Every structure is written in C-alpha cells, then in structure tokens.
C-alpha cells in the first residue's frame, strides 16, 4: 500500500528529527563530538526521506488513487499531468508536507557546509531546524494526514481515516468515482510557482534564525552568525519577494477584478515576514561595518521567524475564516502554542545575552549612514505594526467590545502610504550618505559648523545635481494636468531616487574609468563586481522604484467603467474606444465550456490597435473562471472582463473595463529586483577560497614535518 | 553643541512612533467596518444608518432580481450566525445556510447592489456584503462576496468573487 508507506516515511522522519534534537542536546552538554556528528547525519537524512514521502504522494496523485482522501480532494481524471503533480500543494495536508519537504531541503543543505570554524553552532542549528521540521511533520501525522484513506462502514457510509477503523473496509475505486478536482482558480502558472516560492522564502528564513539562536546559546555573539547567513538571508528574501510578486500577478491574471493586491489578511500574512526580513537585511550591514544594532538584529530575526510561522498559521488554521474562505482545521491551537513557546524561548535567550550584545559604537549624527539605516528599520517596523493591527483588530475588538470591527484596504493605504513614501525618499538618499561620510571629512577642515549641519550640508551638496531631473519631472507632471498631491509626491520621489542612483553609478564608474584608464562600461562592470553588495543593493532599489511607479499608476490613476453592450456597440475609456464585435461559445479540449467575446480596440484617432478576448470558462465540475482580456503596453493596460455570462439577456453582454496606467512597470521592476538580488548574493570567489587555501598549504606541509 | 546624542535619537524615535500611532489610530477610525449579523443590524435600528457595515447572510434564491441593462442586483438574505463554533455545531456552513433559507421565521434583509451579478449568486450561497444601511431599511452594498461552501473546500482568496 503506497499510502501506508508514505505515512510510515513521515513517522520515521518525525522520529528521526526528534532523535536529532536529543543527540544534539547530548552532544552539546556532554561535549561529545560524536553525538553532534550523529545529530548532523540525522538532519542530513531528513531531505532524502521526505523526498520519498513527497514522491509517494505525487505517485498517488499521478495514478489517480481516489481512495486517498487528499487525492480525491485536489485532482480529477481530466486534469493534465503537470497539474496533478503541482496539486501536491493544492490542499491543506499536502501543502504542509510540501512545507516540511522544502524545510528539509534547506536543513540538509546546511549540514553539508564546512563546519570546521563553527563547530559550536552546529548542535543548535540542528536543534532549531529539527524542531521546526518535527512540528510540521507532527501536524501531518496527528491532524492532517495527506495519506488518509477512505473507508466504508458497515452501514455503507464513506469516511476518511488514517488507520482501518473497526468493522470498516477500504473503499474501492468504483465506489469513489472521480475526484473533486483542483479549484480552477488555482489552475494557473502563477499559482503553480507562487506557493513554492513563498514557502521557499518562509523556510529559508529558518536558517538565519537557527544561527542566531546558536549564537545566543553559545555566547559567540560577534557578527560571525550574520556573516555566515548573509547569503541564506538574501536567498530567503528573494524567494519571499518573488512569491509575493507572483501572487500579485496571479490575482491580476485570474481573479478578474483589475487589481493585484487586496490587503487580504492572507496576503498580509506573507507580507509581514518580508517586512521584518527586509529590515533585517539592512540593519545587519550596520552590525558588520560598525558593530552597532546587535540587539535589534536579534529582535528582527526572532520576529521574522515568528511571523513566518504565524503566516503559515493564518493561512492554514482558519482563525480568520469567519469572513475569509480558508480551510477549517484543528491545527490552530498547535500553531499558537508553537509560536508562543519558540518566541518566549528566543526572547529569554536574548535577554540572557543582552549585556554581551553591547554596541561597539555610538551614533553621531541624524544624517549618518547608521542613523538613516535605523530610520529605514523604524519605517519598516511602522508598516509592520500597521499590518499587524489591521489583521488582529477584528479579534481584539471582538474580545474587548463583543463587536467585531474590521478595517479594509483604505485603512492600509492611508496608514501605510506615507510610510512607503518615506521609504522611497530614504532609498534615494541612502547612496548619498556613503559619500556624505567622505565629503564630511573634506568639509570638516574648512568649517566649524556643528556636526548635524555639516552632515546635512554634505548631503545637500550631493543632492542638488540629481534633484534637477526630479524637479523637471515634477514640473512636467504638473504641466500635464496632474493635481493629485500624493501622486505628484510619489512620482517625484521615484524620479529623484532613480536619478540619484543613476548618478551614483555614473559618478563611481567615471571615477574608475579615469583612474584605471578603462572604457566606461568596463569600469561600470568591474565596479559592480568589486562591490557586489552595494551595487546589487542599488540595482534592487532601482527595481523597487520601477515597481513603485507601477503601483502609483494603478492605485492612483486607475479608471473603470461597466456597460451591457449589444454587438456593434462602443464604449469609451481613457481615450480608447472598444467595440464589441462578437461572442462565441465552444467546448475546449479539456472539457471546459468557453464563452469568448471579441472586442476591437481603437485609439483616439480611430486607428485599430488590436483585439481583446475576455473569456468566461465553466469547468466540467461547474466551477466558473473569468479570464480577462488584457492589452498590455509600457504606458498602460486595458483590462476587460466578461462578467457573469449566466444571467445575461440574449441581446446584450455585460463588460467591466479597467484602464490601469503604468502597471507593467510593476512586473518589469520585479525583474530588475531579481537581477539586483542575484548580483548581491552571487558567491564571492575570493572570500570563499581563503579557508581552502589555508587548508591546502597545511596539507602540503604535513608530509615534510 | 555636544549634548548627549542619545537624547536626539530618542526624541526622533518617539516622533516616528507618534506618527505611526497617529496614522494607525486615525485610519482605523476613518475606515472601521462593523461586522454584524442580520439580527444585530436590525436591532441597532436607526443608529447604524450611514455607518460602514460588513454583514453576512444566506441568499434566498427566489428573491434574486437582476437587471443586466442597468446592472442592478436586488436580493434578500436571511440571518445566519456569525459564530464559527456555532456554525460547526449545527452541521457546517452548508447546512446552516440551508436552514436559514428554509426557516421562514428568520430575520430577512433586502439588499441592493450596483454591478454585474457574480457567478456564485444563487440560492443558499453565503453573501458577505460591505456597505451602508439606508434609511429605507434596505442595505446598499458596495462590495459583494459570495461563498458556496458545498462547492469549495479549497482555499479561495476572497477577491475571487469580488465586485466593486
């Protein structure tokens, strides 16, 4: 029985991770290296074992074994093979197994690194990772078993259970028939890669957290743990960012409401660890460079871990399901206890080591690089608090007043908008502060101004040149008739940040090309290669600015209209004219009943720009799906939805039309963003080879000794 | 002026903290939505007119009237409990919705919504509406979400059936 085999694998992996925890504890406290090594090996095995478990479930999915409840819930005969495989994360219990599997991949990878210089961290990294894996496997084993069968009782009732109940027999395939099939909304490329990306981001953040706790327990509280996990953190952050963007793209393509982000608690649940993770990425640099913000970094990584689990909890437990369509489950309390216990232990450790994490320096000026980084952190925390309050306010108000009060998207936009704007400005100034430091020295000689004023002056000196294009942009926007104050501020800030960043690239590359007698572009390339982290970071910032452009465009300038049209009728929106040409109904290859409208798009002068094909598909199971027709350019998107085919009279068809300016920059910016992260995270050959060289020279000496 | 730099950072931090608290408090005030059941809404009477309310109810299939020309949708919902535990106790959401529709003694609420009729608008669907109560006792919905619990066991983000 494959399903029983799969369940067995889960149980064995669960016991193995418990063993790993015990062995690591013994190894640490008895100072026995052999036990630690045994713990390492047991963690090494988690990934191969869970791969076996996941493959078993995939096998059951691919072979349509509907006697297994999970398979019955997420697939049907008519689904294509790739969807049957990706249905692994299409339901509650499967997605939990998937989570553990990815977690195990990172855990196993971390056991394979060179540990010689960081032996003391090893047992604690094993413990944190194994505790996390064991918790998620425990959920699978005790509450949500993806390998549970259907059974038939004596009275003929069909019900799911893990083990054979008394007087029941296994259901036969004939009795079950066809499975329910995956929700059509989830049958989309964006939905296929969005959950894995998000989960990868979630689980990868466990690794830096594990090292942070190891540092706290062992008392090796210098920045070693941060240097070790820098790349892990970047990768985790990249995956999490990708997951969020892909989720937005999926919503835009599939949900047919003209937007990409609805401030749904479930979305926010994934956004919150991203906020703390981003703050963490920035503030660790200050610890590395200046030895400051040590407590703060610990707090951030502890929060990130808690929010990762909390995010999984919100989406998986059904705590908010009174209004949100998410699966009900018994796993809620377990999550709650797990988050509470891990959080309390982490904070207790932090307090225990508080004195040892003393700052090595003190901040001098409000305009210094350190202070700007701290400000950036505070803004991220501010957005986090806004989000957290928004998510929990219904629960709190119900507790206090017995009246459930919630807040919608306007709350988030109004409260978080100014903070995002401030971050955008800060992103622009950030590169200047690096220069500010050196310019300060020059300035210091010739002036006896106060420190603050000198810093401010230094930044102002560097700011004015890049500020000119931004000012021109502002004038241009104003001249073109835009009067919305928030839009003007946002777009000007975007222009300012872009021009400062470009100026920074240009200035540094020109200096290098003069000094080294290199071609400008060669200089630019080598410059970025030498200081990947800085220039990768600036590239990420450029990506974010482009994304901000798209967000400002759709949030502030979106227009929409709706109309029931007869064939041949026109509708106007934002200078475009759409003509409704025809409507056709036909079955598709995979059994969907497709209703497809054809609309011609004309510009202001009446020139034909193209056709749009909004669709309304009904799956064999009766579930409908609305697929918008989109004409996408760099300037704007025309987004047409064929609404509600069912209740339409014969003569007219209702359409909903959105005009989304600039939204494409959101997706383009994401590519720049990924590129920048890859630059920053690319392995540094020089640094990695130093230990290797040291070892080889050692080896070379030995025979001669 | 080399007063302790600490002071100015603490002041700066407090300033940001204050700004964040102000943003949260004022935005919550301005955008608060009250979750209510049909019973609770009708108990409030005139005091709730004009406030942002989020309400859920079971759709009565016979009451659905839709004008595709003007895109006006009218329907009536019956009271259902807002308490999850109670819903579970009474046999799950599908069963509770069915009971609500069948039971003629339940409180009913008339709803008007301007926009296309959502796909899931049918008998015994759960309608989650955001909008305001009019003085005429009719609920004017700005936003309409629908759930059909018998169909969807899977997680579906709420915008899936959203109309504006």
């Amino acid at each position: 029985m494959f399903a029983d085999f799969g369940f067995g694998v889960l149980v064995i992996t669960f016991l193995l991770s418990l063993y790993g925890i015990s062995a690591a504890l013994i190894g640490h406290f008895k100072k026995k290296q052999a036990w630690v090594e045994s713990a390492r090996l047991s963690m090494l095995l988690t990934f191969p074992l869970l791969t076996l478990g996941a493959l078993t479930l995939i096998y059951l999915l691919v072979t349509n074994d509907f006697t297994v409840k999970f398979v019955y819930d997420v697939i049907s005969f008519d689904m294509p093979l790739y969807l049957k495989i990706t249905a692994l994360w299409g339901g509650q219990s499967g997605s939990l197994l998937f989570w553990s599997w990815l977690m195990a991949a990172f855990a196993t990878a971390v056991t394979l690194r060179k540990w010689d210089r960081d032996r003391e961290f090893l047992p604690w990294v094993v413990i944190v990772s194994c505790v996390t894996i064991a918790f998620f496997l425990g959920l699978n084993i005790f509450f949500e078993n993806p390998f549970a069968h259907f059974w038939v009782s004596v009275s003929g009732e069909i019900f799911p259970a893990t083990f054979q109940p008394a007087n029941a027999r296994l259901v036969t395939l004939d009795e079950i028939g066809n499975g329910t099939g995956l929700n059509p909304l989830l049958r989309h490329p964006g939905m296929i890669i969005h959950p894995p990306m998000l989960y990868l981001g979630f689980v990868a953040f466990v690794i830096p957290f594990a090292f942070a706790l190891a540092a706290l327990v062992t008392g090796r509280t210098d920045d070693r743990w941060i240097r070790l996990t820098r790349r892990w953190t970047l990768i985790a952050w990249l995956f999490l960012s990708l997951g969020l963007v892909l989720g937005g793209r999926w919503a835009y393509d599939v949900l047919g409401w003209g937007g990409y982000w609805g401030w749904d608690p479930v979305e926010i649940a994934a956004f919150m660890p991203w906020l703390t993770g981003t703050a963490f990425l920035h503030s660790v640099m200050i610890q590395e460079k200046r030895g400051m913000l040590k407590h703060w970094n610990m707090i951030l990584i502890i929060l990130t871990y808690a929010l990762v689990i909390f995010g999984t909890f919100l989406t998986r437990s059904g705590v908010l399901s009174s209004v949100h369509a998410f699966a009900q489950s018994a796993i809620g309390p377990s999550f709650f206890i797990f988050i509470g216990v891990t959080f309390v232990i982490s904070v207790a450790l932090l307090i225990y080591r508080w004195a040892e994490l003393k700052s090595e320096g003190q901040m001098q000026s409000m305009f210094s690089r350190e202070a700007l980084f701290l400000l950036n952190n505070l803004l991220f925390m501010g957005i986090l608090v806004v989000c957290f309050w928004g998510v929990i306010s219904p629960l709190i108000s119900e507790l206090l007043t017995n009246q459930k009060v919630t807040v919608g998207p306007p709350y988030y936009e109004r409260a978080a908008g100014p903070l995002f704007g401030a971050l955008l400005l800060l992103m622009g100034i950030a590169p200047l502060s690096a220069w500010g430091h050196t310019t300060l020295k020059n300035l210091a000689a010739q002036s006896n101004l106060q420190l603050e004023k000198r810093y401010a002056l230094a930044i102002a000196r560097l700011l004015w040149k890049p500020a000119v294009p931004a000012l021109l942009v502002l004038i241009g926007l104003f001249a073109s008739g835009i009067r919305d104050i928030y839009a003007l501020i946002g777009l000007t800030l975007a222009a300012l940040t872009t021009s400062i960043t470009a100026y920074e690239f240009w200035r540094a590359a020109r200096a290098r090309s003069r000094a080294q007698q290199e071609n400008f572009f060669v200089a630019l390339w080598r410059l970025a290669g030498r200081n990947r982290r800085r220039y990768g970071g600036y590239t990420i910032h450029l990506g974010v600015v482009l994304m901000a452009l798209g967000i400002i465009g759709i949030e502030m300038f979106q227009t929409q209209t709706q109309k029931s049209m007869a064939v041949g009728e026109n509708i106007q929106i934002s200078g475009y004219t759409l003509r409704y040409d025809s409507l056709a109904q036909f079955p598709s290859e995979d059994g969907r009943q497709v209703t497809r409208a054809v609309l011609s798009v004309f510009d202001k002068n009446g020139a034909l720009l193209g056709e749009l094909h909004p669709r309304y598909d009904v799956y064999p199971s009766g579930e409908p799906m609305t697929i918008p027709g989109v004409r996408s350019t760099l300037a704007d998107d025309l987004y047409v939805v064929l609404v509600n085919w069912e209740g339409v009279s014969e003569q007219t068809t209702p359409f909903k039309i959105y005009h989304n300016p600039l939204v494409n920059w959101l997706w383009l910016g994401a590519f720049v963003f990924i590129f920048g992260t890859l630059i920053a995270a690319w392995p540094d050959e020089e640094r990695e080879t130093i230990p290797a060289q040291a070892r080889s020279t050692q080896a070379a000496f030995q025979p001669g000794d | 002026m080399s007063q302790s730099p600490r002071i100015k950072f603490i002041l700066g931090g407090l300033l940001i903290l204050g700004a964040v608290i102000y943003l949260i408090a004022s935005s919550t005030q301005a955008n608060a939505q009250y979750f209510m059941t049909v019973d609770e809404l009708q108990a409030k009477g005139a005091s709730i007119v004009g406030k942002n309310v989020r309400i859920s109810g079971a759709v009565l299939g016979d009451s659905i009237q839709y004008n595709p020309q003007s895109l006006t949708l009218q329907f009536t919902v019956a009271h259902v409990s807002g308490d999850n535990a109670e819903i579970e106790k009474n046999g799950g959401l599908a069963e509770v919705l069915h009971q609500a529709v069948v039971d003629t003694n339940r409180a009913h609420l008339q709803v008007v919504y301007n926009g296309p009729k959502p796909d899931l608008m049918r008998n015994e669907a759960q309608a989650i509406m955001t909008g305001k109560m009019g003085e005429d006792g009719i609920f004017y919905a700005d936003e309409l979400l629908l759930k059909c619990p018998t169909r969807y066991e899977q997680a579906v983000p709420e915008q899936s059936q959203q109309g504006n």
Side-chain angles (χ1 to χ4, degrees):
Chain A
M1 277 304 280
F2 273 103
D4 296 330
F5 171 74
F7 185 69
V9 169
L10 294 191
V11 173
I12 288 169
T13 321
F14 177 69
L15 295 175
L16 184 77
S17 44
L18 292 185
Y19 167 77
I21 297 165
S22 327
L25 282 172
I26 296 172
H28 175 80
F29 286 110
K30 296 203 159 169
K31 305 256 183 300
K32 294 253 171 68
Q33 206 47 244
W35 280 101
V36 177
E37 182 59 14
S38 170
R40 186 183 76 89
L41 290 175
S42 61
M43 186 154 97
L44 180 74
L45 276 177
T46 54
F47 180 64
L49 277 171
L50 282 179
T51 306
L52 207 57
L55 284 178
T56 310
L57 190 54
I58 290 174
Y59 175 80
L60 293 169
L61 286 165
V62 170
T63 54
N64 306 312
D65 190 343
F66 295 130
T67 61
V68 174
K69 183 181 184 296
F70 178 74
V71 177
Y72 175 81
D73 285 343
V74 295
I75 69 157
S76 56
F77 281 121
D78 55 301
M79 277 165 56
L81 184 66
Y82 74 97
L83 279 179
K84 284 182 183 168
I85 295 170
T86 57
L88 175 63
W89 52 87
Q92 171 94 309
S93 53
S95 66
L96 286 173
L97 171 58
F98 187 56
W99 208 103
S100 318
W101 187 31
L102 295 178
M103 177 67 227
F106 279 96
T108 297
V110 93
T111 59
L112 294 175
R113 67 180 295 281
K114 291 192 205 87
W115 282 95
D116 354 356
R117 287 162 72 202
D118 321 290
R119 274 280 152 196
E120 68 267 49
F121 284 160
L122 181 56
W124 295 96
V125 171
V126 170
I127 289 170
V128 174
S129 312
C130 280
V131 162
T132 313
I133 294 176
F135 169 67
F136 277 89
L137 284 177
L139 293 179
N140 264 144
I141 293 168
F142 299 112
F143 299 104
E144 294 279 344
N145 176 15
F147 296 106
H149 292 289
F150 278 120
W151 304 88
V152 184
S153 68
V154 186
S155 56
E157 202 185 336
I158 296 178
F159 61 97
T162 301
F163 299 108
Q164 183 160 19
N167 297 326
R169 62 173 175 82
L170 198 63
V171 83
T172 61
L173 273 174
D174 294 333
E175 283 169 298
I176 279 291
N178 197 354
T180 329
L182 193 66
N183 186 320
L185 293 169
L186 305 180
R187 302 180 190 186
H188 178 273
M191 210 51 194
I192 291 164
I193 36 179
H194 154 71
M197 290 295 156
L198 211 54
Y199 282 18
L200 279 172
F202 275 4
V203 297
F205 265 120
V206 176
I207 303 299
F209 171 73
F211 275 91
L213 274 208
L216 283 179
V217 174
T218 57
R220 193 175 165 186
T221 47
D222 60 357
D223 61 3
R224 180 71 185 151
W225 70 274
I226 286 176
R227 290 187 190 280
L228 285 179
T229 55
R230 187 177 93 78
R231 212 152 273 130
W232 292 93
T233 311
L234 265 176
I235 294 297
W237 187 70
L238 175 64
F239 280 127
L240 195 53
S241 314
L242 275 179
L244 289 167
V245 172
L246 284 168
R249 180 73 211 203
W250 167 75
Y252 190 73
D253 283 349
V254 171
L255 298 185
W257 53 285
Y260 58 93
W261 181 262
W263 293 105
D264 183 280
V266 170
E267 297 167 346
I268 295 170
F271 188 50
M272 287 195 293
W274 186 89
L275 288 170
T276 49
T278 313
F280 177 72
L281 268 185
H282 285 97
S283 71
V284 291
M285 292 187 228
I286 295 303
Q287 179 166 351
E288 280 182 43
K289 298 254 159 71
R290 304 258 193 284
M292 288 188 271
L293 302 180
K294 289 182 184 174
H295 299 122
W296 185 237
N297 287 330
M298 281 290 174
I299 293 171
L300 283 177
I301 194 67
I302 291 170
L303 266 181
T304 307
Y305 179 78
L307 287 171
V308 159
I309 309 291
F310 184 66
T312 321
F313 162 67
L314 276 188
T315 52
R316 290 289 152 219
S317 67
V319 70
L320 293 164
S321 71
S322 52
V323 275
H324 296 103
F326 262 86
Q328 289 283 321
S329 176
I331 62 180
S334 330
F335 262 108
F336 204 65
I337 293 166
F338 184 75
I339 295 171
V341 170
T342 52
F343 190 73
V344 165
I345 292 176
S346 320
V347 171
L349 276 172
L350 175 61
I351 292 169
Y352 176 64
R353 295 285 179 198
W354 192 263
E356 290 167 50
L357 290 164
K358 221 170 141 281
S359 205
E360 289 157 30
Q362 205 175 28
M363 282 191 198
Q364 294 302 320
S365 156
M366 305 267 258
F367 296 100
S368 65
R369 199 166 173 75
E370 301 89 87
L372 292 180
F373 269 69
L374 187 60
L375 181 60
N376 141 307
N377 270 238
L378 288 177
L379 290 172
F380 274 113
M381 286 303 106
I383 299 173
L384 176 75
V385 175
V386 167
C387 290
F388 192 70
W389 173 249
V391 171
I392 62 158
S393 66
L395 306 176
I396 296 213
S397 67
E398 194 174 25
L399 215 60
L400 296 180
T401 62
N402 219 6
Q403 169 68 67
K404 217 167 184 175
V405 178
T406 185
V407 289
Y411 157 79
Y412 294 101
E413 281 155 21
R414 192 173 173 281
L419 301 175
F420 279 118
L423 274 179
L424 200 57
L425 175 67
L426 210 53
M427 227 164 52
I429 299 179
L432 294 184
S433 70
W435 289 101
H437 201 73
T438 46
T439 318
L440 176 75
K441 281 182 194 145
N442 308 337
L443 257 155
Q446 46 174 293
S447 82
N448 42 20
L449 287 167
Q450 292 159 13
L451 190 70
E452 289 297 336
K453 282 192 187 154
R454 267 185 273 149
Y455 265 105
L457 206 67
I459 289 181
R461 278 201 174 185
L462 289 159
L463 190 63
W464 77 267
K465 271 188 217 160
V468 173
L471 215 61
L472 289 177
V473 168
L474 177 64
I475 294 167
L477 289 170
F478 199 77
S480 67
I482 293 170
R483 291 291 179 277
D484 185 314
I485 181 80
Y486 296 109
L488 285 175
I489 292 176
L491 291 172
T492 309
L493 281 179
L496 182 68
T497 305
T498 311
S499 88
I500 291 175
T501 313
Y503 179 64
E504 165 70 17
F505 271 106
W506 177 79
R507 189 183 145 122
R510 194 188 52 160
R512 189 188 158 96
S513 93
R514 280 193 186 154
Q516 310 276 332
Q517 304 288 319
E518 287 169 349
N519 173 302
F520 178 78
F521 292 100
V522 174
L524 186 67
W525 176 255
R526 294 209 173 132
L527 184 78
R530 274 292 151 78
N531 204 341
R532 289 205 197 94
R533 195 179 193 178
R534 168 182 289 181
Y535 291 100
Y538 291 164
T539 311
I540 296 173
H541 286 178
L542 269 184
V544 173
V545 170
L546 294 182
M547 292 170 82
L549 204 63
I551 292 170
I552 293 169
I554 187 171
E555 290 295 329
M556 295 182 175
F557 299 104
Q558 184 183 52
T559 44
Q560 63 175 84
T561 179
Q562 54 188 37
K563 189 180 180 187
S564 273
M565 292 196 282
V567 171
E569 239 184 292
N570 286 335
I571 184 166
Q572 263 97 24
I573 185 166
S574 310
Y576 292 97
T577 302
L578 284 86
R579 190 183 67 207
Y580 175 30
D581 291 336
S582 65
L583 187 81
Q585 275 189 297
F586 52 90
S588 75
E589 278 171 21
D590 57 350
R592 278 182 272 180
Q593 183 62 34
V594 179
T595 306
R596 179 168 168 271
V598 179
L599 291 95
S600 298
V601 186
F602 302 92
D603 67 6
K604 262 180 218 149
N605 309 319
L608 181 69
L609 294 174
E611 281 185 349
L612 289 177
H613 304 120
R615 279 166 58 164
Y616 182 86
D617 292 11
V618 179
Y619 280 82
S621 54
E623 291 151 307
M625 181 174 181
T626 312
I627 303 167
V630 184
R631 179 181 186 273
S632 199
T633 67
L634 288 181
D636 54 10
D637 275 21
L638 263 183
Y639 184 103
V640 180
V641 188
L642 181 60
V643 267
N644 178 37
W645 172 242
E646 282 176 296
V648 178
S649 68
E650 279 177 14
Q651 290 81 26
T652 61
T653 310
F655 291 97
K656 207 163 183 175
I657 299 150
Y658 297 87
H659 179 245
N660 299 329
L662 299 177
V663 69
N664 240 326
W665 293 95
L666 177 53
W667 321 120
L668 289 173
F671 284 107
V672 177
F673 183 98
I674 296 166
F675 181 64
T677 315
L678 290 179
I679 293 178
W682 204 259
D684 245 322
E685 284 162 34
E686 291 156 55
R687 261 179 56 191
E688 301 283 299
T689 49
I690 293 167
Q693 271 171 358
R695 209 171 305 113
S696 65
T697 44
Q698 232 174 23
F701 268 99
Q702 271 163 5
D705 271 21
Chain B
M1 209 172 67
S2 56
Q3 91 219 39
S4 165
R6 236 164 216 285
I7 300 283
K8 68 188 176 196
F9 284 109
I10 290 172
L11 279 178
L14 284 177
L15 209 67
I16 294 170
L17 192 71
V20 170
I21 291 174
Y22 165 75
L23 281 172
I24 291 177
S26 64
S27 308
T28 309
Q29 282 266 288
N31 299 297
Q33 267 175 4
Y34 296 88
F35 273 80
M36 287 181 175
T37 61
V38 174
D39 274 351
E40 285 165 358
L41 182 76
Q42 289 176 340
K44 291 262 176 181
S47 70
I48 200 74
V49 170
K51 284 205 177 127
N52 263 324
V53 178
R54 192 165 178 145
I55 190 166
S56 110
V59 175
L60 304 180
D62 296 339
S63 71
I64 303 173
Q65 284 176 25
Y66 178 55
N67 180 343
Q69 283 307 311
S70 61
L71 298 171
T72 316
L73 180 63
Q74 293 182 33
F75 57 96
T76 304
V77 293
H79 169 81
V80 284
S81 166
D83 184 15
N84 258 327
E86 201 182 319
I87 290 173
E88 285 302 310
K89 208 178 74 195
N90 292 327
L93 188 57
E95 181 59 26
V96 167
L97 289 171
H98 175 71
Q99 289 303 327
V101 169
V102 178
D103 184 358
T104 46
N105 296 325
R106 293 283 177 105
H108 284 183
L109 177 71
Q110 233 191 305
V111 183
V112 174
Y113 169 72
N114 277 314
K117 195 178 92 169
D119 306 322
L120 295 178
M121 188 77 208
R122 56 179 80 132
N123 195 31
E124 292 181 17
Q126 183 188 23
I128 300 161
M129 298 148 288
T130 312
K132 294 184 171 118
M133 194 69 186
E135 282 175 15
D136 50 8
I138 295 175
F139 189 78
Y140 293 90
D142 306 318
E143 197 180 293
L144 173 63
L145 317 172
L146 287 156
K147 273 206 277 184
C148 282
T150 45
R151 277 266 162 80
Y152 291 110
E153 208 219 16
Q154 282 314 315
V156 184
E158 70 167 18
Q159 304 98 315
S160 56
Q161 292 300 327
Q162 178 166 329
N164 283 311

